[in-house]
Amino acid sequence: MVMIYGQGTFDNYRAALAAVGLETEVSTDTAVTRRCEGLLLPGGGDIFGGLDRRETAVINAFVARRRPVLGDSFAVVARLQHLTRHRILIHHARNNR
């Protein structure tokens, strides 16, 4: 199961992960981290602010368990890199037409 951090439906993320056979749970609850194998941090308008305590706790829970954390924007990945003090591989996908 993959935790999608936030509040809302995130239908596009859920559909993409379901297409590759992954279950998802949308939450901001740190207790959910124990039953999830990965974390998705969606980008959005709030990505330029600082991390709140709950978001930091969720990220730290996944990092401590050496579980994958995926951010879908450069700003999210930069925040992760700063928080964890680890180099993070950034893969930029382009839509080739």
Side-chain angles (χ1 to χ4, degrees), residues 3-60:
M3 178 179 180
I4 301 174
Y5 184 86
Q7 297 175 337
T9 59
F10 297 105
D11 290 337
N12 54 340
Y13 295 104
R14 296 184 92 172
L17 292 168
V20 295
L22 296 172
E23 295 179 35
T24 59
E25 182 163 348
V26 176
S27 182
T28 60
D29 185 355
T30 55
V32 173
T33 64
R34 290 188 285 273
R35 64 178 175 265
C36 293
E37 294 300 312
L39 172 64
L40 173 62
L41 297 168
D46 65 341
I47 61 175
F48 297 105
L51 297 171
D52 63 33
R53 276 188 241 158
R54 182 176 290 168
E55 189 173 12
T56 300
V58 166
I59 293 168
N60 284 338

